[in-house]
Amino acid sequence: MVFNYDASDPLAVITAAPPSETPEQKAAREEREAESRRISNQIDEELRLHKADLKKHEQMVKILLLGQSESGKSTTLKNFRMQFAAENWAKERASWRTVIQLNLVRSVNAILDAVKHPDADDGSKIPLTEKHQLLAIRLSPLRRVEEDLKRLLGAAANPVEVAVPSSPTRTVSPRPSAEFYVRSWEWQSFVEASQNRSENSHPRTRHEGANSIDISEIIARCSEDIRELWEDDIIQDMVKRRGLRLEDSATFFLNASERIAARDYHPGDDDVLRARLLCRNIVPLSWTSNLASDGKTLTWKLYDVGGSRTQRQAWLPYFEQVTAIIFLAPISCFDERLAEDPRVNRLEDSFILWKAICSSQLLKSTTMIIFLNKIDLLAKKIANGVMVRQFLPSYADRPNETKAVVKYLKTKFRDTARNYSPEPRTCHIYATTVVDTHETAQILVSVRDGIMREHLKKATLM
Ligand SMILES: Nc1nc2c(ncn2[C@@H]2O[C@H](COP(=O)(O)OP(=O)(O)OP(=O)(O)O)[C@@H](O)[C@H]2O)c(=O)[nH]1
Ligand SMILES: [Mg+2]
């Protein structure tokens, strides 16, 4: 008996015709086989179309965070990370301890520097007592700690650089020490490596300066003195009177100094959010989301670029194919001036920047979102009696109240978008305090949904 199949193919054995097949059976079998082939071809075609469709719908949303330096771009990015890339956020949290320690130590050293020098305005000396001098001596190890922390974050392969800080309008005191940059986000692996080395090495075998355990120990020993310095009336008066410009997060960390200086300190979400670390290279935050129930995915890429005037030249290449721009205007800065150009008011600079972005042909179909940011600081200034109209004459005799200022500025930004955009567009404006994670979380969901809706609308029209 000869079977008409290839015995080496197990599938052929199973599907071969039976040896004693009648002509009717043969016709019925061939009909069934033809039907199977037709169904199989149909499935193949459906699969091919599905694949093409998937490819077509592996869409990307590209968002740029823009705004002047210290407007809150990186803080907003951290909020996005916390909400949409939560796994990495949790993994990275421990390494932020080093950055937070640096933020705290820099502020303490900045205060110590400021009390050493007479006022730049009137040459007056601060009435320092013996207690202050003793505090300065006891806190002197923090100078070395600042350098060690910078080295830990920057590491030898990535030398640190400095940036010029901003200064306020009302006073002449610049921020006491220059800002600190790392060149890449690799700082996290440097810190982790140091933490591992610290745990595994004997102190006497180390020869490369203090490690994170040594540093934490020195800071812990200085904890009481840091608190005493910060709570001292003369020091507080000097910070206020001289307008010593500490970073916005400095007060937050100085108020929490005992908690941060503790040997077993673990940073919380709010601490990481407030920690400021400038980074030279731009790495987008990426995450994916499902577009709808049919399983199509959307890849999100969020870019955070440096905001100082010198860094803005590097923005242009990022304008290609931008889905949305989130523009941050820190409106509490109505009484401050730019570090890069002390002739320019910071709010004025935000308006100039916003106008330029709205006017751009390249961005004519980009979704525009504005965060009028630092509402908490605006409210504080107003509560302290700072008059908005003194710095913004067009505000005229409107009430010196946060709500009224926000409303006025919303209209200003909206009018600029309306008057300067090459094509009509909607502009979504939010009043934000991006250091408030809870409030920001709700805003980000609304922002995300808005961007997605507009993206899908445009994709359907194309
Ligand atoms: N109080 C308060 N502080 C804020 C707010 N937004 C940002 N900050 C603080 O302002 C400082 C600057 O914020 P960043 O997010 O680093 O600013 P940036 O726009 O990324 O600045 P560059 O990287 O220099 O362009 C940080 O110390 C933040 O903690 C806010 O709404 N309220
Ligand atoms: Mg930044």
Side-chain angles (χ1 to χ4, degrees), residues 22 33 36 38 44 75 80 92 120 129 144 151 158 200 220 222 226 235 252 258 312 315 329 399 408 419:
T22 62
E33 282 175 358
S36 299
R38 196 185 58 74
D44 279 354
T75 314
F80 269 103
E92 289 164 11
T129 61
R144 179 62 202 268
R151 187 185 42 75
N158 281 350
N200 299 330
C222 290
I226 295 174
I235 299 294
F252 176 84
E258 273 180 301
R312 292 177 201 170
W315 287 4
Y408 176 75
N419 297 336

Side-chain angles (χ1 to χ4, degrees), residues 212-414:
S212 43
I213 287 184
D214 297 334
I215 289 170
S216 300
E217 184 56 36
I218 299 171
I219 296 175
R221 285 191 202 144
C222 290
S223 173
E224 183 60 24
D225 291 331
I226 295 174
R227 193 183 55 77
E228 223 177 288
L229 180 80
W230 179 237
E231 288 180 358
D232 184 272
D233 289 342
I234 294 176
I235 299 294
Q236 284 287 334
D237 185 50
M238 177 211 69
V239 170
K240 267 197 211 109
R241 215 160 31 88
R242 285 194 171 182
L244 175 66
R245 173 111 160 82
L246 297 167
E247 288 162 13
D248 283 336
S249 49
T251 313
F252 176 84
F253 289 130
L254 283 163
N255 286 340
S257 66
E258 273 180 301
R259 185 171 60 81
I260 293 167
R263 287 173 183 83
D264 60 352
Y265 166 63
H266 293 289
D269 283 349
D270 282 347
D271 299 339
V272 178
L273 203 76
R274 299 268 186 163
R276 179 154 160 90
L277 182 70
L278 298 180
C279 184
R280 275 276 179 238
N281 71 347
I282 297 160
V283 181
L285 169 68
S286 303
W287 74 96
T288 55
S289 63
N290 286 338
L291 260 180
S293 51
D294 53 9
K296 289 167 191 165
T297 55
L298 190 61
T299 302
W300 298 74
K301 283 200 185 291
L302 179 65
Y303 291 82
D304 168 25
V305 294
S308 73
R309 282 195 163 181
T310 46
Q311 289 172 302
R312 292 177 201 170
Q313 290 135 10
W315 287 4
L316 204 61
Y318 293 93
F319 285 2
E320 207 69 52
Q321 307 274 330
V322 194
T323 318
I325 283 177
I326 301 177
F327 182 82
L328 280 110
I331 57 171
S332 61
C333 302
F334 66 87
D335 62 340
E336 295 173 24
R337 288 183 181 272
L338 279 187
E340 312 88 292
D341 187 350
R343 291 165 305 175
V344 182
N345 174 285
R346 285 186 69 187
L347 184 59
E348 173 91 47
D349 178 66
S350 277
F351 274 124
I352 296 170
L353 206 49
W354 175 240
K355 187 171 144 189
I357 290 166
C358 288
S359 316
S360 164
Q361 279 291 340
L362 211 55
L363 301 171
K364 66 177 184 210
S365 30
T366 301
T367 300
M368 290 291 181
I369 296 149
I370 317 181
F371 284 6
L372 298 184
N373 194 33
K374 303 200 180 182
I375 299 293
D376 60 329
L377 297 179
L378 173 73
K380 218 181 259 178
K381 279 187 184 173
I382 288 177
N384 285 338
V386 183
M387 298 301 289
V388 174
R389 70 159 174 267
Q390 191 186 334
F391 300 92
L392 189 66
S394 66
Y395 193 64
D397 53 1
R398 291 174 177 83
N400 205 55
E401 290 164 8
T402 309
K403 234 175 155 178
V405 176
V406 171
K407 188 171 169 226
Y408 176 75
L409 292 176
K410 262 189 186 177
T411 312
K412 284 281 231 187
F413 277 97
R414 184 167 282 130

Side-chain angles (χ1 to χ4, degrees), residues 74-317:
S74 302
T75 314
T76 302
L77 181 107
K78 283 190 211 157
N79 276 287
F80 269 103
R81 188 184 287 270
M82 207 188 305
Q83 202 157 337
F84 302 119
E87 205 178 301
N88 287 344
W89 174 265
K91 265 196 260 162
E92 289 164 11
R93 195 181 299 147
S95 51
W96 280 93
R97 182 184 187 188
T98 307
V99 180
I100 292 162
Q101 288 175 326
L102 178 61
N103 280 206
L104 174 67
V105 166
R106 287 186 81 235
S107 299
V108 174
N109 287 339
I111 293 172
L112 292 173
D113 278 342
V115 296
K116 269 198 322 216
H117 300 293
D119 194 305
D121 262 350
D122 58 10
S124 66
K125 287 247 184 209
I126 294 155
L128 291 185
T129 61
E130 202 176 308
K131 173 190 150 193
H132 295 108
Q133 278 152 11
L134 278 175
L135 274 177
I137 293 169
R138 289 209 298 267
L139 290 171
S140 60
L142 294 184
R143 302 278 174 189
R144 179 62 202 268
V145 165
E146 181 174 340
E147 292 318 307
D148 282 333
L149 285 167
K150 286 178 178 174
R151 187 185 42 75
L152 273 186
L153 290 166
N158 281 350
V160 298
E161 295 174 18
V162 291
V164 187
S166 59
S167 60
T169 312
R170 288 169 293 141
T171 62
V172 288
S173 313
R175 191 182 283 163
S177 54
E179 290 218 57
F180 166 79
Y181 272 97
V182 290
R183 201 164 272 173
S184 90
W185 285 108
E186 274 177 49
W187 68 266
Q188 280 169 346
S189 44
F190 299 148
V191 170
E192 273 164 32
S194 157
Q195 282 166 347
N196 293 340
R197 271 201 309 277
S198 306
E199 278 157 20
N200 299 330
S201 69
H202 188 279
R204 265 175 293 176
T205 65
R206 289 193 302 268
H207 49 82
E208 42 174 57
N211 62 32
S212 43
I213 287 184
D214 297 334
I215 289 170
S216 300
E217 184 56 36
I218 299 171
I219 296 175
R221 285 191 202 144
C222 290
S223 173
E224 183 60 24
D225 291 331
I226 295 174
R227 193 183 55 77
E228 223 177 288
L229 180 80
W230 179 237
E231 288 180 358
D232 184 272
D233 289 342
I234 294 176
I235 299 294
Q236 284 287 334
D237 185 50
M238 177 211 69
V239 170
K240 267 197 211 109
R241 215 160 31 88
R242 285 194 171 182
L244 175 66
R245 173 111 160 82
L246 297 167
E247 288 162 13
D248 283 336
S249 49
T251 313
F252 176 84
F253 289 130
L254 283 163
N255 286 340
S257 66
E258 273 180 301
R259 185 171 60 81
I260 293 167
R263 287 173 183 83
D264 60 352
Y265 166 63
H266 293 289
D269 283 349
D270 282 347
D271 299 339
V272 178
L273 203 76
R274 299 268 186 163
R276 179 154 160 90
L277 182 70
L278 298 180
C279 184
R280 275 276 179 238
N281 71 347
I282 297 160
V283 181
L285 169 68
S286 303
W287 74 96
T288 55
S289 63
N290 286 338
L291 260 180
S293 51
D294 53 9
K296 289 167 191 165
T297 55
L298 190 61
T299 302
W300 298 74
K301 283 200 185 291
L302 179 65
Y303 291 82
D304 168 25
V305 294
S308 73
R309 282 195 163 181
T310 46
Q311 289 172 302
R312 292 177 201 170
Q313 290 135 10
W315 287 4
L316 204 61

Side-chain angles (χ1 to χ4, degrees), residues 415-433:
D415 286 351
T416 306
R418 190 172 296 141
N419 297 336
Y420 293 94
S421 296
E423 289 174 6
R425 68 163 129 227
T426 329
C427 185
H428 311 273
I429 308 186
Y430 297 87
T432 59
T433 294

